[in-house]
Amino acid sequence: MKSINSVAVVGGTHGNEFSGIYLLRKWQQDASRITRESFTTQTLFANPKAHEENKRYLDSDLNRQFAVEDLANPELANYEQSRAKVMNAVLGPKGNAKTDFIIDLHNTTSNMGPTLIVLQSDDFNIRMGAYVKAQMPEAVVVFEDQIPLAEHKFVCSIAEQGVIVEIGPQPQSVIRQDVLDWMETMTGHILDYVDLYNKGQLPELPPTYEAFRYTETLKLPENAQGERIGMVHKNVQDNDFRPLHGGDPIFTLFDGSEICWDGDYEAYPHFINEAAYYDNNLAMSLAEKITVEL
C-alpha cells in the first residue's frame, strides 16, 4: 500500500459524545500530541451545532450521510446532509480524497471498553489491529468488513482508509476520565502505527491475535404495533464481548417472561443497550470471535 501522507482526526460526529470533542480542543492547543514525522495531521469538529444543542444530531445521523450518491444529491439538504457535503469537500471528495486516512472518535453508552472498529481486512488494517493490541492489551478489535469501505456511509469512508475509535461506557453529554484516557491512548497508538508503517519500521508483531467480526443486529422485542414490550436481559446487560450460547436468556419481557437466544453460533454481543439506538429499537450487535493471522 502507498504511504499515508495526510491524516484527519474527526470528533463530535455525534454532538453529545463529548470525549472526541474535548480531545480535539486539547490537541488544537498542543498539536505535538498528534503530530508525526511522516504525515500531516488535521482535526475536524464534525457536528458543532448538534453539540451546541447537546444533541446527537439535529435532523439526521451525520455518520450515515456519506454514501456517494447522497453526497452528490443537492436535494438532501437538511443540516447533517449539508454538513456532510462540506466535510466531503474538506476531507475528500470521496473516491478521490485528499485525505488518506480518517480516525473518527466516538463514545458509546455500552460497556465496550476501548474498541477499535476496522472496516477493511487488508494488510494495513490487520497489522494495525495487531499493533494496537500489542501496545494496549485491553483494546478490542472489531471487523465490520462485509462490504468495501467506499460502500459504507460513515465519515471515515471519505478516505481510502479509515477506522472508528469507539470507547465506553460513557453516558451521553458526560465526560469520564477513564474513557477519555482510553480514547487518547488508542488514538496515539494508531498515529504511531501509521508513522511506523510509512517508515517500514514496524516492530515484530504477534503472528495471530483475537478479534471479533460483526454478524448481525438484534432488535428489542416488539408487538404487532411496533411498541417495545421488553428489555435486554440482566445477564446480558453490560457484558459486551462475553459469549452468548443457544438457549441463554437474552430479553426479559415486561410481563416477566424471557426470550432466549436461538442462534446456531457462539455470539458476542456489543453495543448492548446503546442509548442512541433506541430510536430504531435496536438492542445490540452480535459478532463472532475470530483469529486474525498476519
Side-chain angles (χ1 to χ4, degrees), residues 48-96:
K49 285 191 176 181
H51 180 60
E52 289 171 9
E53 297 194 22
N54 196 20
K55 296 178 178 179
R56 180 176 175 84
Y57 52 80
L58 301 187
D59 297 314
S60 53
D61 189 337
L62 180 57
N63 207 31
R64 302 297 186 273
Q65 305 308 316
F66 292 88
V68 172
E69 60 271 21
D70 293 345
L71 293 168
N73 186 349
E75 294 184 3
L76 299 178
N78 71 27
Y79 175 69
E80 275 80 18
Q81 291 164 348
S82 299
R83 182 63 182 158
K85 292 174 174 63
V86 171
M87 292 172 61
N88 187 52
V90 172
L91 302 178
K94 186 170 181 175
N96 187 28

Side-chain angles (χ1 to χ4, degrees), residues 10-67:
V10 178
T13 298
H14 298 131
N16 58 7
E17 296 178 7
F18 279 9
S19 293
I21 296 166
Y22 281 85
L23 284 175
L24 288 191
R25 292 172 178 169
K26 177 178 180 178
W27 296 330
Q28 286 164 357
Q29 292 175 357
D30 182 6
S32 66
R33 295 175 179 269
I34 56 171
T35 300
R36 300 295 185 272
E37 186 178 89
S38 66
F39 55 85
T40 62
T41 310
Q42 65 174 311
T43 58
L44 179 63
F45 189 167
N47 202 335
K49 285 191 176 181
H51 180 60
E52 289 171 9
E53 297 194 22
N54 196 20
K55 296 178 178 179
R56 180 176 175 84
Y57 52 80
L58 301 187
D59 297 314
S60 53
D61 189 337
L62 180 57
N63 207 31
R64 302 297 186 273
Q65 305 308 316
F66 292 88

Side-chain angles (χ1 to χ4, degrees), residues 49-256:
K49 285 191 176 181
H51 180 60
E52 289 171 9
E53 297 194 22
N54 196 20
K55 296 178 178 179
R56 180 176 175 84
Y57 52 80
L58 301 187
D59 297 314
S60 53
D61 189 337
L62 180 57
N63 207 31
R64 302 297 186 273
Q65 305 308 316
F66 292 88
V68 172
E69 60 271 21
D70 293 345
L71 293 168
N73 186 349
E75 294 184 3
L76 299 178
N78 71 27
Y79 175 69
E80 275 80 18
Q81 291 164 348
S82 299
R83 182 63 182 158
K85 292 174 174 63
V86 171
M87 292 172 61
N88 187 52
V90 172
L91 302 178
K94 186 170 181 175
N96 187 28
K98 61 181 73 70
T99 307
D100 297 320
F101 181 56
I102 296 174
I103 306 169
D104 192 21
L105 306 177
H106 287 265
N107 291 125
T108 173
T109 62
S110 303
N111 189 29
M112 288 171 57
T115 299
L116 174 64
I117 298 179
V118 178
L119 302 175
Q120 299 186 91
S121 51
D122 57 6
D123 180 76
F124 176 79
N125 285 279
I126 287 173
R127 291 181 181 276
M128 183 195 309
Y131 180 85
V132 170
K133 284 187 68 69
Q135 303 301 315
M136 191 178 185
E138 68 272 34
V140 178
V141 178
V142 176
F143 283 82
E144 292 191 15
D145 57 351
Q146 289 79 7
I147 61 175
L149 178 62
E151 294 181 16
H152 281 283
K153 300 181 180 181
F154 302 141
V155 170
C156 61
S157 73
I158 294 173
E160 288 190 19
Q161 293 286 354
V163 294
I164 300 171
V165 172
E166 189 79 57
I167 314 291
Q170 180 163 288
Q172 296 167 341
S173 309
V174 166
I175 289 284
R176 280 181 53 150
Q177 183 179 356
D178 55 348
V179 170
L180 191 76
D181 289 348
W182 271 335
M183 183 175 285
E184 183 166 28
T185 299
M186 180 174 283
T187 303
H189 290 319
I190 295 169
L191 293 169
D192 289 341
Y193 167 79
V194 175
D195 191 42
L196 292 168
Y197 191 96
N198 279 346
K199 296 175 177 177
Q201 296 177 0
L202 282 175
E204 184 175 353
L205 297 171
T208 64
Y209 63 94
E210 177 187 284
F212 300 89
R213 175 165 281 126
Y214 167 83
T215 54
E216 59 184 307
T217 298
L218 301 184
K219 297 194 72 173
L220 290 160
E222 300 172 322
N223 62 19
Q225 291 73 44
E227 299 169 330
R228 193 177 303 128
I229 58 172
M231 54 192 164
V232 172
H233 195 280
K234 63 184 179 181
N235 292 353
V236 177
Q237 181 64 50
D238 299 326
N239 286 322
D240 295 71
F241 300 114
R242 295 186 186 177
L244 186 68
H245 302 99
D248 288 346
I250 190 168
F251 297 117
T252 302
L253 302 187
F254 297 139
D255 65 8

